Amino acid sequence: MHASRNPFVRVALEVESALAEGRPVVALETAAVTHGLPRAPLARALPCLADDDMPESVRECFGASAPVHAALGHAQAAAVRAEGAVPASVGMLRGELVIGLTADELDELATSGDAAKMSARDIPLVAARGGSGGTTVAGTLLACALARPRPIDIFATGGIGGVHRGFAVMPDVSADLRAIRETGTLVVTAGAKSILDLAATVEALDTLGVPLVGLGTRWFPRFLSEGCAPLAVNAVAADPTDAARLFGAHAAMRPGAGMLLCVPPPERHALPAAVMERAIEAGLRTCEERGVRGPEVTPVLLGAVAEATGGASLETNLAVLISNARIAARVAVARCAT
Ligand code: PSU
Ligand code: MN
């Protein structure tokens, strides 16, 4: 008797074979593609593409006419491949949760006019209606758990959701936090998005018992800003191989629980903290004026911050999303080698 297939889930053959053979796989979210980035080409060349060590295959994704949200999806997948791992971009197309979107499918998702922003709770609802959507961290973690023949245990994002500022008045806490606790996957992230209350977010992760590992840092990073929040991580990984070692012990002893690998933004591309903070305050005012609530808060804030920094935060966000995909792939490769 063979296991029954889930009619709502499709695992790409390439991803399925890699999982079956114990080769490295990295899951990638698509809420940044569908809801986190502008749907137009960049106004100027992306600075991180000029880095010496940037793979040519990643550079090629950002043609002059390519809308940046679609380019990012391709670039993250190319970044994972360049490190020798298989990318599993996650998204829903016409009611089917796809784990391992092809380049054409990524374009279909990027150009879909009514893609939903899907956290875990939304995925079955959108599936039942035959809809399409991008997955948040929580949504992508659900896909990691549903992957066959075994779950995907490494995943890259830009910055996780968390506890929003002003939560005493409006308790907006991202479902990402609980999903990380409940899924046995390593999440590679530049800390939590600094549009949040980072101290409260770290406290919430502490309560949930999610271990924070810093890659070459003792402190929780500040997403796109340089410098660190004065919030200590629980362990420091010297390099991706060391991170794989720490995660290996975690996975063996706490199966079914997640871990965060906190990676500061690439130094050359990080924003001065004061610039970022002013932009976030402007963004929070925009949300207040427009009465933005719920899942719209994060995309509106990110957009307002990009506007207030003249596009600089967008460039840093892209650098972080690409860099985290590469680092996640290095950890996945190291994990499979041991
Ligand atoms: N990282 C980014 N850009 C993004 C996100 C992460 O650099 O747009 C997305 C992730 O999908 C994350 C979501 O799960 O923002 C958080 O949304 P919310 O605060 O509504 O849970
Ligand atoms: Mn929220």
Side-chain angles (χ1 to χ4, degrees):
M1 202 180 85
H2 55 85
S4 60
R5 270 186 77 257
N6 187 326
F8 295 108
V9 181
R10 170 160 54 91
V11 183
L13 202 56
E14 188 193 16
V15 173
E16 189 183 307
S17 324
L19 289 171
E21 293 160 20
R23 287 185 282 117
V25 174
V26 173
L28 298 166
E29 64 150 299
T30 47
V33 173
T34 56
H35 289 78
L37 300 168
R39 296 181 159 232
L42 286 169
R44 50 183 186 257
L46 185 60
C48 72
L49 297 183
D51 291 351
D52 292 340
D53 65 343
M54 187 58 71
E56 194 52 44
S57 57
V58 175
R59 285 194 190 119
E60 280 166 1
C61 299
F62 291 88
S65 61
V68 62
H69 70 306
L72 185 268
H74 296 300
Q76 280 192 300
V80 168
R81 278 190 203 286
E83 299 294 334
V86 173
S89 309
V90 172
M92 184 166 289
L93 288 174
R94 288 160 277 116
E96 194 175 41
L97 182 66
V98 184
I99 303 174
L101 294 161
T102 63
D104 285 347
E105 287 170 338
L106 262 172
D107 283 332
E108 184 183 340
L109 183 63
T111 51
S112 139
D114 55 357
K117 174 181 163 184
M118 301 189 305
S119 186
R121 60 132 197 255
D122 307 303
I123 289 178
L125 308 180
V126 178
R129 295 278 183 256
S132 298
T135 49
T136 66
V137 169
T140 310
L141 286 171
L142 173 62
C144 286
L146 289 170
R148 293 291 176 265
R150 58 182 183 84
I152 299 175
D153 65 4
I154 300 194
F155 162 41
T157 182
I160 60 165
V163 182
H164 282 259
R165 298 178 187 203
F167 65 95
V169 178
M170 174 58 70
D172 182 348
V173 179
S174 177
D176 287 357
L177 298 183
R178 251 200 47 208
I180 293 164
R181 167 65 184 85
E182 289 174 356
T183 315
T185 295
L186 179 71
V187 180
V188 180
T189 176
K193 287 194 280 280
S194 51
I195 55 177
L196 304 165
D197 183 329
L198 291 187
T201 300
V202 167
E203 285 298 342
L205 287 162
D206 186 58
T207 302
L208 290 166
V210 173
L212 310 179
V213 174
L215 185 67
T217 176
R218 294 169 48 217
W219 307 104
F220 198 67
R222 279 160 65 160
F223 187 43
L224 307 181
S225 316
E226 50 190 28
C228 292
L231 303 161
V233 296
N234 307 117
V236 179
D239 52 36
T241 305
D242 195 28
R245 192 176 303 126
L246 289 165
F247 181 59
H250 169 87
M253 300 173 83
R254 294 185 66 205
M259 177 188 253
L260 281 194
L261 181 62
C262 303
V263 184
E267 224 169 293
R268 312 177 279 295
H269 305 298
L271 292 173
V275 170
M276 187 64 181
E277 202 50 38
R278 274 200 301 277
I280 292 167
E281 272 154 26
L284 289 168
R285 280 195 297 277
T286 305
C287 284
E288 181 126 15
E289 281 158 23
R290 296 195 208 154
V292 179
R293 292 269 181 278
E296 285 77 47
V297 171
T298 294
V300 170
L301 264 175
L302 287 176
V305 168
E307 205 181 295
T309 57
S313 73
L314 171 61
E315 292 170 356
T316 306
N317 199 355
L318 293 165
V320 161
L321 284 158
I322 294 167
S323 156
N324 287 353
R326 293 182 76 186
I327 288 165
R330 286 179 199 156
V331 177
V333 168
R335 181 154 164 72
C336 288
T338 52

